[in-house]
Amino acid sequence: MPHLDREDRDSELPVSRIALRSILSEGLSEVIHYGKKCIAFAGDPQGAVAARFEDGSSTTGDVLIAADGAGSHLRLQLIPHARRVETGIVAISGKLDLSDDVRRATPPPILHGPTLILGPNGCFMFASAVDYEDDTADDDQCYDPEKYVMWGFSACTETLDLPADPAALSGENAMAAVLALMDDWHPALRWLVQTADISSITSFAVKTSVPIQPWATQKVTLLGDALHNMTPFRGIGANTALRDAAALRQALVAVSRGDVDLIQALAAYERDMIRYGFAAVQTSLRDMERFHAKGLLARVATKSLFRAIDHVPPLKTAFLGR
Ligand SMILES: Cc1cc2nc3c(=O)[nH]c(=O)nc-3n(C[C@H](O)[C@H](O)[C@H](O)COP(=O)(O)OP(=O)(O)OC[C@H]3O[C@@H](n4cnc5c(N)ncnc54)[C@H](O)[C@@H]3O)c2cc1C
């Protein structure tokens, strides 16, 4: 993918989860309570909503926002008909500290930004470097000092030939499974896999949510992966969760000003979020299929599309739907 000017508002800036989490939770230490597992909600006689926690405690509020990720307990209670299904693709990822050796051995496009690699036999690799100066940080406050190269390798279950539960695979076995499919790949890419920190290697079966229609709005709403969890192949799951957060914030501010009723505001948020959230789910699925296609024609078409995008920046804007 072409890498736009990093000063450009629309450019990609890879950020580690650790750094993003620190930034998002800044100033909230009095508000966030870690280690509390929310297991259910219930209506309150006063018209509020109560959240129940695994440790037996509970709390009430005007509205409950379930942002509890793809395995959301609260989604299961709110809309038990919503489904999450396997896609038939397995992903294995790993990372390497960005030492001088790794910097020298890594193909330059990967050092410059997210890079997509279409391999033979429906195998796909994504690689990127997290390597930027945190110029807002001083010595006491560094969001995530780690610089690294990460890769993710994926293929369909039959091609990777793994045991029933990929998540149970050891780092060594997962690395061996990837290398077995990379015999005729460029040595620099094999090296990135071979040199990954074994403890960083994880495997998982890629799942996706199934689109659903709006439901009868309650004082409990959903945000991010709790509803529209998607495959990682477009890299927009967290971006879409942030979009939800911004939209929901706007809706709740309007309610607090008395401009609109709470249920009406939540219903409008949910309608819109369902529309663009599941559109993102479908886009991610389409990319997943594109990247893992085995047929010659489909692979040539995908490679041509990305080469064209590489050479004509406006095509990238159109492709990303900006
Ligand atoms: C390999 C991979 C690569 C990805 N790459 C990208 C990318 O490049 N760009 C991008 O935009 N997205 C990416 N994503 C998607 C992104 O990670 C998710 O979409 C995003 O994390 C969703 O955010 P969320 O806050 O909705 O859920 P989560 O990040 O899953 O957060 C849910 C939180 O709720 C907590 N929780 C769970 N259950 C409970 C409970 N019962 N009570 C209380 N708390 C609970 C969890 O501990 C967690 O902290 C990727 C995903 C994967 C798997």
Side-chain angles (χ1 to χ4, degrees), residues 15-137:
V15 60
S16 77
R17 285 168 197 276
I18 296 168
L20 183 60
R21 188 184 178 111
S22 310
I23 293 165
L24 292 176
S25 49
E26 212 167 63
L28 297 176
S29 57
E30 305 288 310
V31 178
I32 300 176
H33 301 271
Y34 288 105
K36 299 217 33 120
K37 185 170 179 182
C38 188
I39 49 168
F41 65 85
D44 178 79
Q46 273 75 45
V49 57
R52 281 206 295 113
F53 298 95
E54 198 176 43
D55 61 8
S57 63
S58 68
T59 189
T60 56
D62 297 323
V63 60
L64 174 62
I65 301 164
D68 49 347
S72 173
H73 273 68
L74 298 178
R75 176 190 66 229
L76 194 61
Q77 184 181 347
L78 183 67
I79 40 171
H81 58 284
R83 288 190 309 128
R84 193 169 170 242
V85 293
E86 292 204 357
T87 59
I89 296 291
V90 176
I92 298 177
S93 65
K95 63 181 192 177
L96 313 72
D97 283 341
L98 198 48
S99 63
D100 289 344
D101 282 350
V102 171
R103 200 181 285 280
R104 270 191 297 274
T106 302
I110 295 174
L111 293 176
H112 292 142
T115 301
L116 316 178
I117 302 146
L118 294 173
N121 198 21
C123 295
F124 174 72
M125 190 172 181
F126 169 86
S128 186
V130 171
D131 174 28
Y132 57 92
E133 293 308 320
D134 185 355
D135 52 15
T136 57

Side-chain angles (χ1 to χ4, degrees), residues 199-277:
S199 67
S200 75
I201 297 186
T202 52
S203 323
F204 65 97
V206 176
K207 294 186 179 171
T208 186
S209 55
V210 178
I212 59 165
Q213 294 300 313
W215 54 91
T217 299
Q218 303 187 28
K219 289 183 175 178
V220 182
T221 195
L222 298 166
L223 181 157
D225 275 17
L227 182 66
H228 46 63
N229 50 87
M230 60 192 83
T231 83
F233 295 102
R234 184 52 87 92
I236 51 172
N239 283 277
T240 310
L242 289 170
R243 180 174 177 176
D244 295 353
L248 186 52
R249 174 189 156 280
Q250 218 169 18
L252 293 177
V253 167
V255 173
S256 75
R257 283 205 196 108
D259 294 347
V260 59
D261 161 76
L262 175 64
I263 293 294
Q264 272 175 7
L266 291 179
Y269 157 74
E270 285 168 359
R271 265 196 314 274
D272 206 31
M273 182 263 288
I274 287 168
R275 179 190 54 74
Y276 67 73

Side-chain angles (χ1 to χ4, degrees), residues 167-203:
L169 206 61
S170 70
E172 286 85 355
N173 288 344
M175 181 192 278
V178 174
L179 288 171
L181 291 172
M182 290 183 80
D183 268 349
D184 48 358
W185 284 50
H186 194 285
L189 297 174
R190 283 183 59 86
W191 188 86
L192 285 182
V193 174
Q194 267 162 342
T195 316
D197 174 2
I198 283 286
S199 67
S200 75
I201 297 186
T202 52
S203 323

